């Protein structure tokens, strides 16, 4: 828990979110500013600043985080989806608590 981290507060339940999944290690909730019809975030509960701060000890947690994406995407009715992990300010990261974006829904995904 990092005192002024918004995702730590969401993980603790101190800030409300449109939660779609929770277990001991992970939480997933809809992004507050969705950029596709379905846009949710998968967030390890432990405060890790970014993918750039991950170490060997985080291997299993990273695997669980990624494996949750297809399961939740299916539950959200997505036939396919896109994942994104912004890392560091130059990588477009704004919330410095590791999270995976999952995007999908219709044909709203821009070609990259
Ligand atoms: P980043 O740019 O760090 O990869 O993405 C952070 C994401 O978190 C953004 O898409 C932003 O809309 C979302 N976000 C920021 N604050 C909140 C919040 O309080 N609740 C929810 N549900 N999403 C948030
Ligand atoms: Zn945090």
């Amino acid at each position: 828990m990092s005192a002024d981290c918004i995702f730590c507060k969401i993980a603790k339940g101190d800030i409300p979110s449109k939660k779609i999944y929770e277990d001991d290690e992970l939480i997933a909730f809809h992004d507050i500013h969705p950029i596709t019809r379905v846009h949710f975030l998968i967030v390890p509960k432990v405060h890790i600043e970014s993918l750039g701060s991950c170490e060997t000890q985080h291997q299993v947690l990273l695997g669980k985080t990624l494996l949750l994406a297809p399961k939740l995407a299916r539950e959200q009715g997505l036939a396919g989806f896109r994942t994104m992990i912004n890392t560091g300010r130059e990588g477009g990261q704004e919330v410095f608590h590791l999270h995976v974006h999952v995007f999908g829904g219709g044909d709203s995904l821009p070609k990259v």
Side-chain angles (χ1 to χ4, degrees):
M1 169 81 187
S2 173
D4 44 36
C5 170
I6 193 131
F7 286 177
C8 281
K9 287 178 182 163
I10 289 176
K12 265 188 79 190
D14 289 350
I15 289 181
S17 67
K18 284 167 69 181
K19 188 166 68 180
I20 59 173
Y21 180 85
E22 181 168 17
D23 65 24
D24 288 348
E25 295 175 291
L26 300 169
I27 186 166
F29 49 87
H30 289 286
D31 197 290
I32 202 164
H33 297 306
I35 61 170
T36 51
R37 187 173 62 74
V38 178
H39 177 186
F40 60 88
L41 305 171
I42 304 175
V43 182
K45 288 183 172 176
V46 64
H47 183 84
I48 303 169
E49 198 165 287
S50 78
L51 186 59
S53 334
C54 287
E55 298 177 359
T56 311
Q57 69 191 80
H58 299 117
Q59 271 183 154
V60 172
L61 181 62
L62 284 171
K64 288 180 182 173
T65 306
L66 266 192
L67 275 174
L68 195 52
K71 171 183 154 59
L72 297 183
R74 270 193 302 274
E75 287 176 11
Q76 293 296 310
L78 300 178
F81 60 92
R82 178 176 297 166
T83 49
M84 181 175 80
I85 306 175
N86 292 329
T87 303
R89 223 168 280 284
E90 283 188 35
Q93 187 175 5
E94 289 181 349
V95 175
F96 286 85
H97 178 133
L98 176 65
H99 54 280
V100 177
H101 291 259
V102 180
F103 303 104
D107 51 5
S108 54
L109 286 181
K111 196 75 200 145
V112 289

